[in-house]
Amino acid sequence: MEGRIKEIFVQKEALGYPFTYRILERLKDRKFHIIKEESPFFDDPRYKPKKDSLYLLVHKGSFLKPCPGTKQYICCRYQILNIGINCPLDCSYCILQAYFNQPYLRIFVNIEDGLKEVLNYIDERKDEIFRIGTGEFTDSLALDPITEWSKILIPHFSKRKNVILELKTKTGSIEGAISLPYRERIIISWSLNSPLISTKEEHGAISVEKRIKLAGICQKEGFVVGFHFDPLIFYPNWKEDYLRTIDLMERYLDPSKIIWISLGSFRYMPELKNIIIRRHKKSVVLNGEFIKGMDGKMRYFKPIRIELYSYMYDKLSSWYKDLGIYLCMESDDVWKESFGWSPKNSQGLKDFLDKRVIKFFGR
Ligand code: SF4
């Protein structure tokens, strides 16, 4: 990823932070520009990803936010540590294309100050369990060789008893995490898909086989790992293709060291459709029929979603019974029809996942 960055923009205010200088030193051969004020031209409202340029800036809001799940569906009450916005990968289905209309890979240089506030907040709530991830508004590890986020975050989270940090990626940038002596309460997770969808739609990601092999290496290095089959895509031969991914998991992984596997079917904000048509002309993700869900997002019809989930659940569970499989943003009846049980509501799903944390890391 480091080689793909061509230019760096630095907000004037960001010059007051050591993090900024560490990045400029690491990428000292790249062009850089100081931005005094974000002009309308710089912040072009038309979507221009500019995935080859970093923008170093000061984040003004809170660094810790609840995952923007939905009230209408069962949500796991995950928390997002907002370290940056936008991603150097370019998955056709990526919801960020519609969420954020600002260009550049935006990296928050006041992360170390923000982290202190987040840790204070966690320490004041010792009875709660926090499941925190950095991979919602960017890939957790794609930029790690440049930002060294893992070195900044892992030591702090690994020491605490009421939190786990999940680093979710589709890349092979695990060296920073592995080189540290911390394993407790750190989960390295990979998003998975069928090999076909990965090749056609996940531009810039490593292959599914490589992801699974690296997860096996992480397990041998003492990490607990997780997986996210999200988005599951319904297309001809999907069953055989997803089975290939599960076969690779069986070949390379120890299932007893997998904390959870989430399943989510493709869903999108209506605004994303035209962006996908414009930016990803060969994409197949929009093939098929969608309906508007209770949260306003487009989703597959319920019988299709249930078919996807129950197939994946059966195949994964026949490999190993205790994989912590859960659904992302689904309703009670879809849970029951797909899995034969349901956590009933968001608190029930949070309890289920918190118990997985206690099983793997204690309390
Ligand atoms: S890796 Fe995740 S954040 Fe990055 S482009 Fe793909 S879906 Fe979006």
Side-chain angles (χ1 to χ4, degrees):
M1 285 298 155
E2 201 173 326
R4 291 189 202 167
I5 303 299
K6 298 206 170 67
E7 249 174 314
I8 308 168
F9 297 88
V10 187
Q11 185 191 52
K12 198 168 168 216
E13 201 182 336
L15 291 170
Y17 292 83
F19 184 92
T20 304
Y21 291 95
R22 295 202 298 269
I23 294 201
L24 292 178
E25 176 59 26
R26 241 166 256 142
L27 301 177
K28 58 183 168 216
D29 55 336
R30 313 304 146 88
K31 276 196 281 183
F32 86 94
H33 317 267
I34 294 171
I35 304 294
K36 292 201 181 96
E37 269 175 51
E38 289 191 22
S39 69
F41 171 75
F42 182 75
D43 236 357
D44 194 328
R46 284 168 299 152
Y47 187 71
K48 285 196 304 183
K50 287 293 283 172
K51 286 170 181 278
D52 59 359
S53 305
L54 299 183
Y55 179 32
L56 309 182
L57 73 164
V58 176
H59 181 46
K60 300 289 187 193
S62 167
F63 274 79
L64 192 65
K65 291 211 167 108
C67 178
T70 58
K71 290 201 177 70
Q72 295 86 352
Y73 295 99
I74 298 175
C75 157
C76 73
R77 301 209 170 142
Y78 197 67
Q79 305 264 335
I80 297 164
L81 185 67
N82 192 3
I83 52 178
I85 289 177
N86 292 335
C87 174
L89 280 64
D90 200 14
C91 305
S92 62
Y93 53 72
C94 181
I95 196 120
L96 298 184
Q97 298 171 101
Y99 264 172
F100 303 112
N101 61 5
Q102 296 172 325
Y104 307 100
L105 305 173
R106 296 176 168 238
I107 294 178
F108 301 136
V109 298
N110 52 334
I111 174 72
E112 279 138 328
D113 294 346
L115 185 60
K116 278 185 207 148
E117 278 174 32
V118 169
L119 295 171
N120 284 340
Y121 182 83
I122 291 169
D123 291 345
E124 283 164 6
R125 290 161 181 79
K126 293 230 179 322
D127 292 339
E128 275 181 55
I129 293 179
F130 291 84
R131 284 173 290 107
I132 296 179
T134 53
E136 300 301 309
F137 299 148
T138 184
D139 183 285
S140 294
L141 294 174
L143 292 171
D144 204 51
I146 297 171
T147 59
E148 298 198 321
W149 279 323
S150 58
K151 284 194 181 146
I152 295 170
L153 303 177
I154 285 178
H156 295 285
F157 286 99
S158 191
K159 279 183 205 143
R160 288 172 159 80
K161 296 278 177 221
N162 60 335
V163 64
I164 59 91
L165 176 69
E166 182 173 31
L167 300 169
K168 204 189 290 177
T169 190
K170 290 188 185 107
T171 74
S173 300
I174 55 170
E175 299 82 3
I178 283 193
S179 68
L180 298 170
Y182 304 98
R183 300 293 181 260
E184 277 299 307
R185 299 189 172 271
I186 305 301
I187 299 163
I188 305 193
S189 292
W190 275 266
S191 300
L192 290 180
N193 221 302
S194 74
L196 181 95
I197 292 298
S198 166
T199 309
K200 280 185 80 73
E201 311 285 344
E202 297 177 340
H203 309 293
I206 59 171
S207 72
V208 163
E209 181 162 7
K210 276 192 191 145
R211 289 176 224 175
I212 293 170
K213 279 184 177 167
L214 286 173
I217 291 171
C218 283
Q219 286 187 325
K220 290 196 181 99
E221 288 281 338
F223 283 102
V224 167
V225 301
F227 295 98
H228 301 277
F229 279 95
D230 199 344
L232 290 167
I233 307 285
F234 188 78
Y235 62 96
N237 295 331
W238 66 271
K239 285 189 178 168
E240 292 84 344
D241 283 359
Y242 280 103
L243 199 53
R244 274 193 207 126
T245 300
I246 297 172
D247 286 344
L248 289 167
M249 295 173 84
E250 293 188 25
R251 191 174 330 153
Y252 295 113
L253 297 170
D254 174 353
S256 70
K257 291 182 189 153
I258 295 174
I259 188 165
W260 47 56
I261 299 178
S262 76
L263 307 179
S265 59
F266 180 48
R267 54 210 176 272
Y268 61 93
M269 293 149 77
E271 308 87 277
L272 187 62
K273 185 172 178 179
N274 284 338
I275 296 173
I276 296 177
I277 292 169
R278 178 162 49 84
R279 295 196 63 240
H280 304 280
K281 296 195 169 30
K282 293 188 179 155
S283 173
V284 298
V285 297
L286 292 169
N287 298 353
E289 283 192 71
F290 295 86
I291 47 152
K292 197 175 251 187
M294 292 183 286
D295 54 359
K297 287 186 186 157
M298 306 305 290
R299 313 169 149 243
Y300 293 125
F301 283 112
K302 198 193 277 186
I304 292 180
R305 302 202 315 269
I306 291 170
E307 193 184 345
L308 284 163
Y309 300 143
S310 50
Y311 178 81
M312 295 300 287
Y313 187 77
D314 288 348
K315 295 296 173 198
L316 287 163
S317 302
S318 64
W319 168 38
Y320 191 72
K321 278 267 163 276
D322 189 26
L323 287 169
I325 303 171
Y326 68 99
L327 292 177
C328 184
M329 285 192 262
E330 274 299 352
S331 55
D332 179 53
D333 56 330
V334 170
W335 267 87
K336 280 190 194 131
E337 287 191 50
S338 307
F339 290 6
W341 79 282
S342 162
K344 293 194 176 65
N345 52 37
S346 297
Q347 186 58 44
L349 179 53
K350 176 172 169 31
D351 292 344
F352 171 73
L353 295 173
D354 287 353
K355 275 188 198 141
R356 299 289 298 175
V357 170
I358 294 168
K359 175 180 156 85
F360 279 79
F361 298 109
R363 186 75 168 95

